[in-house]
Amino acid sequence: MIPKIRTGTGGTYGLIRYLYGPGRRDEHTDQHLVASWNDFAPDPGRNPHHTIAQLAAQLDQPVKAIGDRAPADTIWHCSVRADPGDRHLDDNDWANIARRIVHATGIAPEGDTTACRWVAVRHADDHIHIAATLVRQDGRLANLSFDRRKAQAEARLIEKEYGLRQLNPGDGTAAQNPTSAERFKAERTGRTETPRETLREAVRQAVAGADSEAEFLTRLREAGLRVKLRHAPSGDVLGYNVALPGDRNRDGGPIWFPGSKLAPDLSLPKIRHRLDAAPATGAPAPDGRPTRPGRSAPARRRRDAAHVAERTVAALDQDDDEAAAHLLGAGELLDALAQTSPAATRAELREAARAFERATRSHVRAENADIRALRSTARGIVHAGSALGRGEDGGATAMVLSTFVLVTLAAARWHSARGHAQQAAAARKAADHLRSAYQQAAATPMRTMREIGRTLPDGERRRHDTTIRTVLGDPASPKGPAREHDALAAVLAEAEKAGHDPKALLEKAVDRRELETARNTTDVLVWRIRRLADLPANPEHPRTAPGNQARTEPVRPRATQPAPAQPATDPRRPAPRR
């Protein structure tokens, strides 16, 4: 159940007329009151003798009575919407819910006969609108301190008592949701999302790995956004506004959004703090080993990202407040991956980045965390450009996605331990999208590794299977090597040929933390070993590797009996015509 509160100026006539009207798309039906401040308010929906003007006049009476002492905002409007999957609530249910909301928010505490006047109007099955004035009947002003937070807390209790879908309690750090007007406009103009949501994602991607404020603003403009800076009298830049080209108001002007209205951490002061505290350049390289020739820049950067992501998992497992900064850096890294991902994984990665964005914000502050490596890696990914969905790029993408699933699960545990229900749910949602993206990216290389594992010589295959079972603690099987170990056996064989000790390498991979939450332990270990042993991210099947093409015999004509010799002419047959 979602309560959404707005305040406004003027009288209540316009709001009441809208609530009793047909709606913007004729979606309002059976408009009527379900509750009011005295249970005797006129109902224009059910009584033809009552009018909208009469109801608005009764609501506005306390405001008019105090004249010039009336506040600037005099209207309080709260919509309360149930989840589409919730059971049907009748008028009595909604009347009780309305009374609980106005009591909890201080609009009309129970038993207070001189409180604000209010009405609850129902014009759809799944929600009501509460309209109230902000001047009490005794002439005092309503106390609206923390009314939104109080409404949300009461909604959580209502959900539990009425057996409705229970939403996670918030902490005031969530990004502002699009308004109903913004959603209606997006539908009208054929957009799949509102401009607010499009701008939020574009600004996040512009921040990812940016080294300076100037670079951030340049990226915004290069992304095609309109950018307007706000200056102080001294000329210093105080903030920025962004707008989508073509998104205009009724006067034909662009619709500007300040960064702080897109998300709390996208205001210019917050972005400056991030840039100053953790510059994206000058950070040490994530992996000190020389880069193998033949690897594309996107593939190299994704291998670096897998290494840095594993260190982020370790930081989150420390369970201290400094991990909050690592979450912010991990969000930048995921934004960088989403905007440069191969086409096959782009949609899922964008959804993962959008979900994880909620997990990067909380009231926990990390003052001393060093996330330069995360920001430097994000910068490297952005500058390396888009990766292909095949070959070494595809394998490196699968490698980093496998690791990033563990990052999101570690983030969910970290938030859960602190009671951050919304952030933990967002991290788990991001993990689901990352798993889907991983399945797409890893399908071809994992299939190749399984095929290689099945074609290893019997003795070598059994030896590697014994190593796997010993390290993982699996009992020996009398039926021979396990099929689920095929890919792992293949990568151990490849590492052994490269000069590594298979058993020591596997033990090192297992000791790198976090296998309990992995849905497929083998996949995690395969990519971890490939990175530790510096093997190509995309394995080559022996049959297609250079120098190992299958030998083929020349095609020989089928042996046939020689035909009997024929004379040049047959006297019994007529000569052919010339």
Side-chain angles (χ1 to χ4, degrees), residues 291-315:
T291 301
R292 287 199 175 201
R295 286 180 183 161
S296 67
R300 293 198 304 270
R301 296 307 182 185
R302 277 158 174 72
R303 293 179 72 99
D304 292 343
H307 177 81
V308 172
E310 279 201 346
R311 295 198 331 222
T312 302
V313 174

Side-chain angles (χ1 to χ4, degrees), residues 332-501:
E332 280 198 35
L333 186 49
L334 188 52
D335 282 326
L337 288 169
Q339 61 184 297
T340 60
S341 61
T345 58
R346 190 171 302 147
E348 290 291 353
L349 270 179
R350 285 185 62 187
E351 293 302 320
R354 285 185 173 188
F356 194 71
E357 178 250 357
R358 180 68 186 98
T360 63
R361 290 194 306 273
S362 69
H363 289 300
V364 178
R365 292 290 175 264
E367 301 298 335
N368 302 314
D370 185 355
I371 59 169
R372 286 177 298 166
L374 280 162
R375 301 205 69 243
S376 176
T377 306
R379 181 179 179 82
I381 286 175
V382 171
H383 281 266
S386 299
L388 300 174
R390 59 185 183 276
E392 187 70 6
D393 284 7
T397 297
M399 179 183 292
V400 68
L401 294 183
S402 173
T403 309
F404 235 98
V405 171
L406 304 183
V407 173
T408 54
L409 295 176
R413 289 197 305 272
W414 187 87
H415 280 301
S416 295
R418 286 160 176 75
H420 304 163
Q422 287 189 0
Q423 290 91 331
R428 287 189 288 268
K429 183 178 179 181
D432 290 338
H433 287 295
L434 284 169
R435 286 190 181 105
S436 297
Y438 167 77
Q439 294 297 331
Q440 294 170 345
T444 298
M446 288 300 298
R447 182 170 60 248
T448 300
M449 281 185 274
R450 286 191 290 268
E451 290 175 357
I452 295 173
R454 287 194 291 269
T455 58
L456 291 174
D458 288 344
E460 184 179 7
R461 179 68 178 86
R462 290 180 180 277
R463 179 164 55 82
H464 290 308
D465 189 73
T466 300
T467 299
I468 294 168
R469 292 183 182 279
T470 301
V471 175
L472 298 184
D474 291 343
S477 172
K479 297 181 180 180
R483 293 295 297 272
E484 63 267 21
H485 295 163
D486 287 341
L488 193 51
V491 74
L492 289 179
E494 191 176 350
E496 187 175 42
K497 291 177 183 177
H500 296 275
D501 179 352

Side-chain angles (χ1 to χ4, degrees), residues 13 20 45 69 97 100 112 121 213 215 244 274 288 297 305 350 373 410 432 475 503 528 540 542 552 571:
Y13 178 80
Y20 277 94
R69 293 189 296 113
I97 290 170
R100 292 182 61 164
D112 187 346
V121 179
E213 181 180 327
E215 182 181 353
L244 280 182
R274 192 189 312 185
R350 285 185 62 187
D432 290 338
K503 186 172 185 292
R528 199 170 283 179
E540 289 186 334
T552 58

